[in-house]
Amino acid sequence: MNIASIIGLISGIIIMIFGIAFQQDSMSFDFTMVMNFIDIPSVLITFGGSFTTLITMEPNMKSYLGKLASFRLVLHTPAVNEIETIRSIIGLSNVARKEGLLALEETANGIEDEFLKKGILLIVDGTDPELVRSIMETELNCIEGRHKEVIGFWDKLSAMGPAWGMIGTLIGLINMLKDLNDPSTIGPNMAVALVTTFYGSLLANWVCIPVVNKLKINNSSEIQMKEVIVEGLLSIQAGENPRVIEEKLKSFLNPANRIEFDAAEGGEVDG
Amino acid sequence: MNIASIIGLISGIIIMIFGIAFQQDSMSFDFTMVMNFIDIPSVLITFGGSFTTLITMEPNMKSYLGKLASFRLVLHTPAVNEIETIRSIIGLSNVARKEGLLALEETANGIEDEFLKKGILLIVDGTDPELVRSIMETELNCIEGRHKEVIGFWDKLSAMGPAWGMIGTLIGLINMLKDLNDPSTIGPNMAVALVTTFYGSLLANWVCIPVVNKLKINNSSEIQMKEVIVEGLLSIQAGENPRVIEEKLKSFLNPANRIEFDAAEGGEVDG
Amino acid sequence: MNIASIIGLISGIIIMIFGIAFQQDSMSFDFTMVMNFIDIPSVLITFGGSFTTLITMEPNMKSYLGKLASFRLVLHTPAVNEIETIRSIIGLSNVARKEGLLALEETANGIEDEFLKKGILLIVDGTDPELVRSIMETELNCIEGRHKEVIGFWDKLSAMGPAWGMIGTLIGLINMLKDLNDPSTIGPNMAVALVTTFYGSLLANWVCIPVVNKLKINNSSEIQMKEVIVEGLLSIQAGENPRVIEEKLKSFLNPANRIEFDAAEGGEVDG
Amino acid sequence: MNIASIIGLISGIIIMIFGIAFQQDSMSFDFTMVMNFIDIPSVLITFGGSFTTLITMEPNMKSYLGKLASFRLVLHTPAVNEIETIRSIIGLSNVARKEGLLALEETANGIEDEFLKKGILLIVDGTDPELVRSIMETELNCIEGRHKEVIGFWDKLSAMGPAWGMIGTLIGLINMLKDLNDPSTIGPNMAVALVTTFYGSLLANWVCIPVVNKLKINNSSEIQMKEVIVEGLLSIQAGENPRVIEEKLKSFLNPANRIEFDAAEGGEVDG
Amino acid sequence: MNIASIIGLISGIIIMIFGIAFQQDSMSFDFTMVMNFIDIPSVLITFGGSFTTLITMEPNMKSYLGKLASFRLVLHTPAVNEIETIRSIIGLSNVARKEGLLALEETANGIEDEFLKKGILLIVDGTDPELVRSIMETELNCIEGRHKEVIGFWDKLSAMGPAWGMIGTLIGLINMLKDLNDPSTIGPNMAVALVTTFYGSLLANWVCIPVVNKLKINNSSEIQMKEVIVEGLLSIQAGENPRVIEEKLKSFLNPANRIEFDAAEGGEVDG
């Protein structure tokens, strides 16, 4: 569970509801005010318009539903552990140095990370270093390409929400202006017209833009981890000294993680 | 037929019409409301302005009509089959390894993909590998250039729609404000003025932006397939091992397709 | 004459005038409505503001007037003929192969394209290939740089139009709001205030944005033709086979032009 | 203390308060007007919405709080002293030339800059120059990456402020329009609705955008200093002449600093 | 004096004042209307807000004032003379060819351009060509970097103007709406509220955006001239033929300047 994202999403809506319900005069809350913001045709136009437009852009319904489902990625913490990964690469480099590259095959079986595993097997197979780099980087680019498609989905949705919200407001205004017989209905009708813009803004700013940014951050840490893996594997294949490899990979860590890494490593060495 | 795009386009407009017709008071639908959104001079100004502006940008009428006709690309599924293409390249590499590069000529006759065919013929002709790469990449860039021109057409139309919609609304407002004698006509006149903005927003958000994004996705999968072909052909020409070629090309597949590829291939090997 | 652009510009304004004049009630046209959109101070502020701002940005008045005059480029079809150019380069390569590079000097005299001519003379002078490429590419970059300055002029004008339109509307509103004594003048005064925004939008969307896009398309086809020339000349200098040069240059053509090229060439070979 | 930033932030708000309080009629100030701009639910919606949305985007609360705390960077002057750094690198190059690279180890202990220190130790360890460059540049990229994350935080906040301000205004308008019984409350209610947009604009333009730009400038001078260090260390390792190194590094200085540098150096040489 | 910029700035404001003062009814000018656009608190909020925000972004007050002062660059014509520069480089190449590189030292003393002078001295000192290029390019990048900082200053001011204009309008509207007792003051109060938006738009569109574009054009011609110098100096150092150097450098000229150059040169050769 990604606590920060869940806190952010939930507290955002709760604070807004309190803001809606707050009565300045009596310094009290009137939660029936929330009913002002619920309107069925507005839901139809704003969410209907936004989500069907996104269907039009997708190659097929399966791909559309898959991208919608990517929302759950925001609620999970990605299993990226930089320190752990660097340590296991250094472990591999020690194995390779002492027992040869072939000894890595056995170690590879215990590794969960598919990308690291594939890289080790390529090395064990004696693949040409240039080819290892090329295959690993093609894979990296394709992973990033897929991430960017998902990020693009939420990005387009964040543009479609306000656009269809405005279309809904235009529809409400046009309907209202065409028939102004009863002046007492002008206010409420205009309120309803504005509800679609409100929905569209919420869809964009409460959901889509945070999702886009969250996925971008997740993507960039995953890609950086994979670049560390590629760098590390090629160094192992080149038979570089484990100390040099460690120095190389540690420059990817931020200062806090570097201290943690050094501390833990010191302990290990002592142990 | 591209089901998702057709569903997206049709359901979008249907949902909007239901949203327009929905009567909150009586919880019923009044489809005569749709008439509020039909106005001839608004059609003239918004669509007339948007489409004639696009004519101005084109080198000639033929190119303009060709780009308009590209709309049908959205309704068709592009015939990109990654797995099939990779398999046929591996087949070619086996033929080349066993019977020599010249044996590819015969195989090339059975291939429909013009790009792949041209590449094979260049190899069979004994063209220098650097020249093969250069010719194939120039062709790739020119294909992408043509795609981008078409995408740009819809992109510019998606900007022109709202712009001419706003021009139409200004025209409506100015005409209305110049003559305010009969207050009862202010509302309906203003409604009509807003209809052009409504048209412009629909043109952009219901049609053009989805078309742009759809064509971008189509383009990027087609270009990636062609890059796989170039990579594969150059490997064949270099006489690389079919196993290595397979490993190289498989890194372009996403995990789902890779499993499918491996499954099918296993079966083939067994067969 | 570039028919498409002229049709686009003229039909755009005609359609708009019909949209303005159309009377929904009587289903007739009232062209006196066009007078609502003519206002002298609005012309002063919107066009005066936009065009003087552009003067401020230019190094001198001559450069400003030169860029304004570039409008005529939109009305002319650029004399870019891909097929013709490629054919004349292949012709040159045949001459060079049969009679040597020096024989090109005579042929060069008959060539109108200054860029191609300069390239041939450099080759005939025995200039080092690296230097030929460097000189030709510097020239190419400078041509593109000059095109981009002109495109930038219209691009900035397309931003200045709506900006000064809005300034004009603010001026109109402020003047009107300061003196609200006669309520019957509010409507017409507001109409006048909106006319500047209308002018600014027309300047941007009817003139500038189409000009920008037209010039961009012209630029990119001219630059591509010049890149074909550079590629071709260097191949001639390197003494490459005319067949190979043809193959190389043909990959720049789009499929339709390639068929036309092959057809015409077939005829020539037979002839 | 960074005087300019503190002056900018404080004088901005003070000038605005005087602008709010100024009474044109009596040419006096009425500071009770400031109360018009204080509204609790508006604070809840605008700031609550903006800041919780930012929580959603972060990997965890610690990272969120760390980025909020980066605000203090704006109030401090970064300890970047170009002249000092270049002079100490030239000092190092003199030491290295006279006493050998190993003599740098001792000097390194007196250096506070962690980045420069690390580089010296790599050189002293006899690390391969290519590896030194690669490690230093990875570290540089990671530092810049972390800076950009912080800058991105304030950039997103500068977009969220106005977005939630508009959501708040929509909420205020909808609540007001739903209940128009008492016309005398329309004005004040609409005023309150606009307060959220006011808050959002202030958050963006008074705080976030200046912070973003300040941090960008800080980042770019820090990165340039670190590039000077990398360039200098590699020159020292390559055993280049201290005079040449000085010439190289001085080209990074702006004219004013170069004069100051030359003046001081002259003095030193004399001393 | 840069006549075009001064004409642009002055005529822009004059045309606008005539637009403000023009009275459609009487076809006369009423310049007292200009008083509608003068309001002290609006000046405080819009200009105060915009300029103090820019202070916050700067490292110190000196840098802030220096950037403000860069406004004068718009009023001066930069002393960039392409033809002159190319001619003096060709002159240098002739000197170097006839009398050797060392003879350039004397010539360098008569040269005003600091950049060209520095380059010549580096060559005379026998600096390695790679190092000459590296030093000259670092200097070029740093010059461009400083130009971009100044351009960025005016660019940010062009964004801050409208932003603080809108904040001022919100302040005016909120103050007005809170106290609607006297309906006759609504109009004038709203007019005053709009004056800040008017100021902000003028600051951006009349001053800042033209300044930004002017400085960009100045920067790009200065940088191009400096690139010509680097190219020329390296050719001189490489001992290239003055004719070849001339050919190389002439490709940087536009056609008009090339004709002028050739004409003048012909005269010189004859003389």
Side-chain angles (χ1 to χ4, degrees):
Chain A
M1 294 287 281
N2 190 329
I3 305 298
S5 295
I6 294 168
I7 289 177
L9 282 169
I10 292 176
S11 62
I13 204 75
I14 288 177
I15 288 173
M16 196 186 71
I17 288 172
F18 275 84
I20 288 173
F22 188 81
Q23 302 294 308
Q24 190 104 39
D25 307 332
S26 55
M27 295 300 266
S28 65
F29 293 97
D30 173 5
F31 289 102
T32 61
M33 302 292 279
V34 174
M35 292 308 297
N36 288 346
F37 297 87
I38 294 172
D39 182 63
I40 296 171
S42 300
V43 170
L44 274 179
I45 294 172
T46 312
F47 295 101
S50 306
F51 285 95
T52 56
T53 313
L54 266 293
I55 298 177
T56 313
M57 300 181 197
E58 289 298 317
N60 52 55
M61 290 304 288
K62 197 180 141 203
S63 135
Y64 173 72
L65 295 172
K67 283 177 186 169
L68 265 188
S70 69
F71 179 74
R72 68 189 147 61
L73 294 176
V74 173
L75 307 179
H76 293 175
T77 315
V80 166
N81 189 325
E82 294 181 317
I83 296 174
E84 207 55 54
T85 309
I86 292 181
R87 196 165 296 143
S88 65
I89 293 173
I90 295 171
L92 289 168
S93 77
N94 277 317
V95 170
R97 205 164 173 88
K98 287 182 202 145
E99 313 172 31
L101 287 172
L102 291 180
L104 293 174
E105 189 157 25
E106 203 178 337
T107 331
N109 294 330
I111 291 172
E112 276 181 36
D113 185 317
E114 279 302 315
F115 186 77
L116 178 52
K117 200 169 177 175
K118 175 168 183 176
I120 296 173
L121 292 178
L122 281 170
I123 292 180
V124 171
D125 284 359
T127 317
D128 181 73
E130 263 322 289
L131 192 56
V132 173
R133 177 183 287 279
S134 145
I135 289 176
M136 299 299 275
E137 280 179 356
T138 302
E139 186 132 1
L140 201 59
N141 291 338
C142 290
I143 289 171
E144 190 158 24
R146 288 195 294 277
H147 287 182
K148 282 193 175 153
E149 269 183 33
V150 173
I151 292 169
F153 177 86
W154 292 98
D155 199 36
K156 288 170 215 153
L157 193 56
S158 83
M160 280 300 135
W164 285 91
M166 200 194 79
I167 290 175
T169 297
L170 287 167
I171 290 173
L173 286 177
I174 291 168
N175 275 342
M176 179 194 89
L177 290 164
K178 279 279 180 177
D179 180 17
L180 290 174
N181 293 334
D182 180 1
S184 76
T185 64
I186 295 179
N189 281 342
M190 218 165 141
V192 170
L194 289 177
V195 166
T196 55
T197 294
F198 171 75
Y199 286 172
S201 296
L202 266 196
L203 178 58
N205 294 296
W206 179 52
V207 179
C208 296
I209 295 177
V211 168
V212 164
N213 284 297
K214 184 86 183 187
L215 294 179
K216 273 187 187 164
I217 290 176
N218 285 1
N219 170 59
S220 90
S221 38
E222 190 181 330
I223 292 301
Q224 184 176 319
M225 247 325 72
K226 290 202 163 23
E227 279 170 357
V228 168
I229 290 175
V230 174
E231 219 50 62
L233 287 177
L234 289 169
S235 296
I236 291 176
Q237 194 176 22
E240 285 179 17
N241 188 315
R243 271 277 132 199
V244 169
I245 296 178
E246 181 179 334
E247 204 59 49
K248 235 188 197 173
L249 301 188
K250 261 168 65 184
S251 42
F252 285 98
L253 291 175
N254 63 36
N257 279 344
R258 210 174 292 171
I259 289 166
E260 195 185 327
F261 181 89
D262 285 340
E265 198 195 17
E268 243 167 55
V269 167
D270 293 346
Chain B
M1 295 287 282
N2 191 328
I3 306 298
S5 295
I6 294 168
I7 289 177
L9 282 169
I10 293 176
S11 61
I13 204 75
I14 289 177
I15 289 173
M16 196 186 71
I17 289 172
F18 274 85
I20 287 173
F22 188 81
Q23 302 292 308
Q24 190 105 39
D25 308 332
S26 55
M27 295 301 266
S28 65
F29 293 97
D30 173 5
F31 289 101
T32 61
M33 302 293 279
V34 174
M35 291 309 295
N36 288 346
F37 297 86
I38 293 173
D39 182 65
I40 297 172
S42 300
V43 170
L44 275 179
I45 294 171
T46 311
F47 295 101
S50 305
F51 285 96
T52 57
T53 312
L54 266 292
I55 298 178
T56 313
M57 299 181 198
E58 289 298 318
N60 53 54
M61 290 303 289
K62 197 180 141 204
S63 136
Y64 172 72
L65 295 171
K67 282 177 185 169
L68 265 188
S70 70
F71 179 74
R72 69 190 146 60
L73 295 176
V74 172
L75 307 179
H76 293 175
T77 316
V80 166
N81 189 325
E82 295 182 316
I83 296 175
E84 208 54 55
T85 309
I86 292 181
R87 197 166 294 142
S88 66
I89 292 173
I90 295 172
L92 289 167
S93 77
N94 277 317
V95 170
R97 205 162 173 88
K98 287 181 202 146
E99 313 172 32
L101 286 172
L102 292 180
L104 292 174
E105 188 157 25
E106 204 179 336
T107 330
N109 294 330
I111 290 173
E112 274 181 38
D113 185 317
E114 279 301 316
F115 187 78
L116 178 52
K117 200 169 177 174
K118 175 170 183 175
I120 297 173
L121 292 178
L122 281 171
I123 291 180
V124 170
D125 284 359
T127 318
D128 181 73
E130 263 321 289
L131 191 57
V132 174
R133 177 182 288 278
S134 146
I135 289 176
M136 299 299 276
E137 280 178 357
T138 303
E139 186 133 0
L140 201 60
N141 290 338
C142 290
I143 290 171
E144 191 158 23
R146 288 195 293 276
H147 287 183
K148 281 191 176 155
E149 270 183 32
V150 173
I151 292 169
F153 177 86
W154 292 99
D155 198 35
K156 289 170 215 153
L157 193 56
S158 82
M160 280 299 134
W164 285 91
M166 200 193 78
I167 290 175
T169 297
L170 286 168
I171 290 173
L173 287 177
I174 291 169
N175 275 341
M176 179 194 91
L177 290 163
K178 280 279 181 177
D179 180 16
L180 291 174
N181 293 335
D182 180 1
S184 77
T185 65
I186 295 179
N189 280 341
M190 219 166 141
V192 171
L194 289 177
V195 166
T196 55
T197 294
F198 171 75
Y199 286 172
S201 295
L202 267 195
L203 179 58
N205 294 296
W206 179 51
V207 179
C208 297
I209 295 177
V211 168
V212 164
N213 284 298
K214 183 84 183 189
L215 294 179
K216 273 187 188 163
I217 290 175
N218 285 1
N219 170 60
S220 90
S221 38
E222 191 181 329
I223 293 300
Q224 184 175 320
M225 247 325 72
K226 290 203 164 22
E227 280 170 356
V228 168
I229 290 175
V230 174
E231 220 49 63
L233 287 177
L234 288 169
S235 296
I236 291 177
Q237 195 176 22
E240 285 180 16
N241 188 315
R243 272 277 132 200
V244 169
I245 297 177
E246 181 179 334
E247 203 60 49
K248 238 187 194 174
L249 302 187
K250 262 168 64 184
S251 42
F252 285 97
L253 291 175
N254 63 35
N257 279 344
R258 209 174 294 172
I259 288 166
E260 196 185 326
F261 181 88
D262 285 341
E265 198 195 17
E268 244 166 54
V269 167
D270 293 347
Chain C
M1 295 287 280
N2 191 329
I3 307 297
S5 294
I6 295 168
I7 289 178
L9 282 169
I10 293 177
S11 61
I13 203 75
I14 289 177
I15 288 173
M16 196 186 70
I17 289 172
F18 274 84
I20 287 173
F22 188 81
Q23 302 292 309
Q24 190 104 39
D25 308 332
S26 54
M27 295 300 265
S28 65
F29 293 97
D30 172 5
F31 289 102
T32 62
M33 302 292 279
V34 173
M35 292 309 296
N36 288 347
F37 298 86
I38 294 173
D39 182 64
I40 297 172
S42 300
V43 170
L44 275 179
I45 294 171
T46 311
F47 295 102
S50 305
F51 285 96
T52 57
T53 312
L54 267 292
I55 298 178
T56 313
M57 299 181 198
E58 288 299 317
N60 52 55
M61 290 304 289
K62 198 180 139 203
S63 136
Y64 173 72
L65 294 171
K67 283 177 185 169
L68 265 187
S70 69
F71 179 74
R72 70 190 145 62
L73 294 176
V74 173
L75 307 179
H76 293 172
T77 317
V80 167
N81 190 325
E82 295 181 317
I83 295 174
E84 208 55 54
T85 309
I86 292 181
R87 196 166 295 143
S88 66
I89 292 173
I90 295 171
L92 288 168
S93 76
N94 278 316
V95 170
R97 205 163 172 88
K98 288 182 201 145
E99 314 172 30
L101 287 172
L102 292 179
L104 292 175
E105 188 157 24
E106 204 178 337
T107 331
N109 294 329
I111 290 173
E112 276 181 38
D113 185 316
E114 279 302 314
F115 187 78
L116 178 51
K117 200 170 177 174
K118 175 168 183 177
I120 297 173
L121 292 178
L122 281 171
I123 291 181
V124 170
D125 285 358
T127 319
D128 181 74
E130 262 322 289
L131 191 56
V132 174
R133 178 183 287 279
S134 147
I135 289 177
M136 299 298 274
E137 279 179 357
T138 304
E139 186 132 1
L140 201 60
N141 290 339
C142 290
I143 290 172
E144 192 158 24
R146 288 194 294 277
H147 287 183
K148 281 190 177 158
E149 270 183 32
V150 173
I151 292 170
F153 177 87
W154 293 98
D155 198 35
K156 289 169 216 154
L157 193 56
S158 82
M160 280 299 134
W164 284 92
M166 200 194 78
I167 290 175
T169 297
L170 287 167
I171 290 173
L173 287 177
I174 291 169
N175 275 342
M176 179 194 91
L177 290 163
K178 279 279 181 178
D179 179 16
L180 290 175
N181 293 334
D182 180 1
S184 77
T185 64
I186 295 179
N189 280 342
M190 218 164 141
V192 171
L194 289 177
V195 166
T196 54
T197 295
F198 171 75
Y199 286 172
S201 295
L202 267 195
L203 178 58
N205 294 295
W206 178 52
V207 179
C208 297
I209 294 177
V211 168
V212 164
N213 284 297
K214 183 84 182 188
L215 294 179
K216 272 187 190 164
I217 290 175
N218 285 0
N219 170 59
S220 90
S221 38
E222 192 183 329
I223 292 301
Q224 184 175 321
M225 247 325 71
K226 290 203 164 21
E227 280 170 357
V228 168
I229 290 175
V230 174
E231 219 50 62
L233 287 177
L234 289 170
S235 295
I236 291 177
Q237 195 177 22
E240 285 179 15
N241 189 315
R243 273 275 133 202
V244 169
I245 296 177
E246 182 180 332
E247 203 59 49
K248 238 186 194 174
L249 302 188
K250 262 168 64 185
S251 42
F252 285 98
L253 291 175
N254 64 34
N257 280 344
R258 208 174 293 171
I259 288 166
E260 196 185 325
F261 182 89
D262 285 341
E265 199 195 18
E268 243 166 56
V269 167
D270 293 346
Chain D
M1 295 287 281
N2 191 328
I3 306 297
S5 295
I6 295 169
I7 289 178
L9 282 170
I10 292 176
S11 62
I13 204 74
I14 288 177
I15 288 173
M16 196 186 72
I17 288 172
F18 274 84
I20 287 173
F22 188 80
Q23 302 293 308
Q24 189 105 40
D25 308 333
S26 55
M27 296 299 267
S28 64
F29 294 97
D30 173 3
F31 289 102
T32 61
M33 301 293 279
V34 174
M35 292 309 296
N36 288 346
F37 298 86
I38 294 172
D39 182 64
I40 297 171
S42 299
V43 170
L44 275 179
I45 293 172
T46 312
F47 295 102
S50 305
F51 284 95
T52 55
T53 312
L54 265 293
I55 297 177
T56 313
M57 299 180 197
E58 288 298 317
N60 52 55
M61 289 303 288
K62 197 180 141 202
S63 135
Y64 172 73
L65 294 172
K67 283 177 185 168
L68 265 187
S70 69
F71 179 74
R72 69 190 145 62
L73 295 177
V74 172
L75 306 179
H76 293 174
T77 317
V80 166
N81 189 324
E82 295 181 317
I83 296 174
E84 208 55 55
T85 309
I86 292 181
R87 196 165 297 142
S88 65
I89 292 174
I90 295 171
L92 289 168
S93 77
N94 277 317
V95 171
R97 206 163 171 88
K98 289 182 200 143
E99 314 172 30
L101 286 172
L102 291 180
L104 293 173
E105 189 156 26
E106 204 178 336
T107 331
N109 294 329
I111 290 172
E112 276 181 36
D113 186 317
E114 279 301 316
F115 187 77
L116 177 52
K117 201 169 176 174
K118 174 168 184 178
I120 296 173
L121 292 178
L122 281 170
I123 291 181
V124 171
D125 284 359
T127 319
D128 182 74
E130 263 322 289
L131 191 55
V132 174
R133 178 183 288 279
S134 145
I135 289 176
M136 299 298 276
E137 280 178 357
T138 302
E139 185 132 1
L140 201 60
N141 291 338
C142 290
I143 290 171
E144 191 158 24
R146 288 194 294 276
H147 287 183
K148 281 192 176 154
E149 269 183 33
V150 172
I151 292 170
F153 177 86
W154 292 98
D155 198 35
K156 288 170 216 153
L157 192 57
S158 83
M160 279 299 134
W164 285 91
M166 201 193 79
I167 290 175
T169 297
L170 287 168
I171 290 173
L173 286 177
I174 291 168
N175 276 341
M176 180 194 89
L177 289 164
K178 279 280 181 175
D179 179 16
L180 290 175
N181 293 335
D182 180 1
S184 76
T185 64
I186 295 180
N189 281 342
M190 217 163 143
V192 171
L194 289 177
V195 167
T196 55
T197 295
F198 171 75
Y199 286 172
S201 295
L202 266 195
L203 178 58
N205 293 296
W206 180 51
V207 179
C208 296
I209 294 178
V211 168
V212 164
N213 284 297
K214 183 86 183 187
L215 294 179
K216 273 187 189 164
I217 290 176
N218 285 1
N219 169 60
S220 90
S221 38
E222 191 182 330
I223 292 300
Q224 183 176 319
M225 248 325 72
K226 290 205 165 17
E227 280 170 357
V228 168
I229 291 175
V230 174
E231 219 48 64
L233 287 178
L234 289 169
S235 296
I236 291 176
Q237 195 177 21
E240 285 180 15
N241 188 315
R243 272 277 132 200
V244 169
I245 296 177
E246 182 180 332
E247 205 59 50
K248 235 189 199 173
L249 300 188
K250 262 168 63 185
S251 43
F252 285 97
L253 291 175
N254 63 35
N257 279 345
R258 209 174 293 171
I259 289 166
E260 195 185 328
F261 182 88
D262 285 340
E265 199 195 18
E268 242 166 57
V269 167
D270 293 345
Chain E
M1 295 287 280
N2 191 328
I3 307 297
S5 294
I6 295 168
I7 289 178
L9 282 169
I10 293 177
S11 63
I13 203 76
I14 289 177
I15 288 173
M16 195 186 71
I17 289 171
F18 275 84
I20 288 173
F22 188 81
Q23 303 293 309
Q24 189 105 39
D25 308 332
S26 54
M27 295 301 266
S28 65
F29 292 98
D30 173 3
F31 289 102
T32 61
M33 302 292 279
V34 173
M35 293 308 296
N36 288 346
F37 297 86
I38 295 172
D39 183 64
I40 297 172
S42 300
V43 170
L44 275 180
I45 293 172
T46 312
F47 295 101
S50 305
F51 284 95
T52 55
T53 312
L54 266 292
I55 298 177
T56 314
M57 299 181 198
E58 289 298 318
N60 52 55
M61 289 304 287
K62 197 180 140 202
S63 136
Y64 173 72
L65 295 172
K67 282 177 186 170
L68 265 188
S70 69
F71 179 74
R72 70 190 145 61
L73 295 176
V74 173
L75 307 180
H76 293 174
T77 317
V80 167
N81 190 324
E82 295 182 318
I83 296 174
E84 209 54 55
T85 309
I86 292 181
R87 196 166 296 141
S88 66
I89 292 173
I90 295 171
L92 289 168
S93 76
N94 277 317
V95 171
R97 203 163 174 89
K98 288 183 199 143
E99 313 172 31
L101 287 172
L102 291 179
L104 293 174
E105 188 156 25
E106 203 178 337
T107 331
N109 294 330
I111 289 172
E112 276 181 38
D113 186 317
E114 279 301 315
F115 187 77
L116 178 52
K117 200 169 177 174
K118 175 168 182 177
I120 296 173
L121 292 178
L122 281 171
I123 291 180
V124 170
D125 284 359
T127 319
D128 182 73
E130 263 322 290
L131 191 55
V132 174
R133 178 183 287 279
S134 146
I135 289 177
M136 299 299 274
E137 280 179 357
T138 302
E139 186 133 1
L140 201 61
N141 291 338
C142 290
I143 290 172
E144 192 159 22
R146 288 195 292 277
H147 288 183
K148 281 192 177 155
E149 270 183 32
V150 173
I151 293 169
F153 177 86
W154 292 98
D155 198 37
K156 288 170 216 154
L157 192 57
S158 83
M160 279 299 134
W164 285 92
M166 201 193 79
I167 290 175
T169 297
L170 287 168
I171 290 173
L173 287 178
I174 291 169
N175 276 341
M176 180 195 90
L177 289 165
K178 279 280 180 176
D179 180 16
L180 290 174
N181 293 334
D182 180 0
S184 77
T185 65
I186 295 179
N189 281 341
M190 217 164 144
V192 171
L194 289 177
V195 166
T196 55
T197 295
F198 171 74
Y199 286 172
S201 295
L202 267 195
L203 179 58
N205 294 295
W206 179 51
V207 179
C208 296
I209 295 177
V211 168
V212 164
N213 284 297
K214 183 85 181 187
L215 294 179
K216 272 187 189 163
I217 290 176
N218 286 0
N219 169 60
S220 90
S221 38
E222 191 183 330
I223 292 301
Q224 183 174 321
M225 247 326 72
K226 290 204 165 19
E227 280 170 356
V228 168
I229 291 175
V230 174
E231 219 49 64
L233 287 178
L234 289 169
S235 296
I236 292 176
Q237 195 177 22
E240 285 180 15
N241 188 315
R243 272 276 132 200
V244 169
I245 297 178
E246 181 180 333
E247 204 59 50
K248 237 187 196 174
L249 301 188
K250 262 168 64 185
S251 42
F252 285 98
L253 292 174
N254 63 36
N257 279 344
R258 210 174 293 173
I259 288 166
E260 196 185 325
F261 181 88
D262 285 341
E265 198 194 19
E268 242 166 58
V269 167
D270 293 345

